[in-house]
Amino acid sequence: MDFNEGEIIYIDKPLHWTSFDVVKRIRLRILRRIKQKKLKVGHAGTLDPLATGVMIICTGRATKRIEEFQYQTKEYIATLRLGATTPSFDLETEIDGVYPHEHITRESVERTLPRFVGSIMQIPPSYSACKVDGRRAYDMARKGQAVDLKPKELVIDEIELLSCELPEIKIRVVCSKGTYIRALARDIGEALGSGAHLVGLIRTRVGDVTLADCLSVEQIADMIDHIDVEPVLEEEKKE
């Protein structure tokens, strides 16, 4: 493998890891293997710490393809709990609101989900990487500061109800770049006359890359340690 020329690695991101954690671990492993001090390594789309699934890592000159991957369609499996909200709309924060949900039925869920298919406007969560006056929204939110985020246009291609065991529902979502599934959970809860937050999220596909194509961080690390690598020329080390 030639990590400087560019390699593309498919990883199943572990639960509780940040996307930066994954990139850092892979970069350090590669640098140790190829005996270099620097190497460009980046990912093509952030996953929240409480999400798992497909994450594309690019190295060296392949980092030029990151934007290409970011714009590809993504698929998620999301588990929503109805009747309660959290500030982050997932389990990162404690429940801050409880709402009635006894009126919600499978039929009402099935009627509601199609409303979100197509081109929609979505307000990102306060706990997000969006920037407000140069500052990350999540930094402001975690300090208890007000965050004013503008709606963004995105596209939801498909929403499928996979299971309905109220107050939890599981859905499959196919969507465009920039979609916050946590915000979608919030909006679905409101549309059902209640509240909702995520209790599970898996990214199952990015473009044509599926979970079946991905390896664990440990498997990738072992592969890096044992695979043949291209020798680095002295002039390349100086770049």
Side-chain angles (χ1 to χ4, degrees), residues 4 9 14 33 45 97 133 164 170 185 203 206 210 229:
N4 289 282
I9 302 169
R33 180 70 178 88
D133 297 327
C164 185
K170 182 177 290 188
R203 184 155 69 192
V206 175
T210 69
V229 296

Side-chain angles (χ1 to χ4, degrees), residues 21-235:
D21 289 337
V22 177
V23 170
K24 181 180 178 181
R25 174 69 67 86
I26 297 303
R27 180 191 292 113
L28 291 174
R29 203 77 175 213
I30 294 173
L31 289 175
R32 187 174 70 181
R33 180 70 178 88
I34 64 178
K35 297 179 173 59
Q36 282 182 218
K37 292 183 178 180
K38 293 182 180 180
L39 177 70
K40 285 185 178 180
V41 181
H43 66 81
T46 302
L47 271 176
D48 292 331
L50 295 180
T52 63
V54 179
M55 188 172 171
I56 299 177
I57 301 289
C58 300
T59 79
R61 292 184 176 89
T63 54
K64 295 177 180 179
R65 296 189 60 190
I66 283 177
E67 188 172 2
E68 169 195 334
F69 289 121
Q70 287 176 332
Y71 277 93
Q72 292 180 349
T73 299
K74 298 173 179 65
E75 179 185 75
Y76 297 88
I77 302 296
T79 304
L80 286 62
R81 183 168 297 152
L82 304 172
T85 58
T86 71
S88 58
F89 302 114
D90 65 6
L91 295 176
E92 179 184 341
T93 52
E94 298 294 326
I95 290 174
D96 65 347
V98 177
Y99 304 85
H101 59 82
E102 292 77 15
H103 63 284
I104 300 173
T105 63
R106 184 185 182 96
E107 290 71 26
S108 64
V109 172
E110 290 175 336
R111 287 195 305 269
T112 298
L113 293 181
R115 299 185 200 174
F116 296 93
V117 177
S119 179
I120 66 171
M121 299 300 291
Q122 183 186 79
I123 299 175
S126 297
Y127 285 74
S128 68
C130 294
K131 287 189 175 181
V132 180
D133 297 327
R135 301 173 62 192
R136 294 291 184 186
Y138 58 70
D139 286 333
M140 299 172 65
R142 286 167 182 157
K143 292 177 182 178
Q145 299 171 355
V147 180
D148 183 22
L149 294 172
K150 306 301 181 185
K152 295 184 178 181
E153 186 174 7
L154 52 90
V155 177
I156 305 284
D157 294 307
E158 299 176 50
I159 298 184
E160 177 187 4
L161 181 63
L162 299 179
S163 66
C164 185
E165 299 180 8
L166 298 170
E168 288 191 1
I169 62 172
K170 182 177 290 188
I171 60 175
R172 181 180 68 88
V173 181
V174 180
C175 57
S176 67
K177 175 183 183 292
T179 304
Y180 282 92
I181 305 299
R182 288 180 289 126
L184 181 62
R186 170 200 65 200
D187 296 341
I188 289 173
E190 291 179 357
L192 288 167
S194 184
H197 62 284
L198 284 183
V199 295
L201 183 64
I202 306 169
R203 184 155 69 192
T204 51
R205 179 170 63 84
V206 175
D208 294 327
V209 180
T210 69
L211 273 175
D213 302 310
C214 297
L215 298 175
S216 68
V217 172
E218 291 74 17
Q219 287 173 319
I220 293 293
D222 185 65
M223 179 190 73
I224 293 169
D225 288 346
H226 294 90
I227 204 163
D228 290 333
V229 296
E230 289 296 320
V232 180
L233 300 177
E234 286 303 316
E235 54 266 29

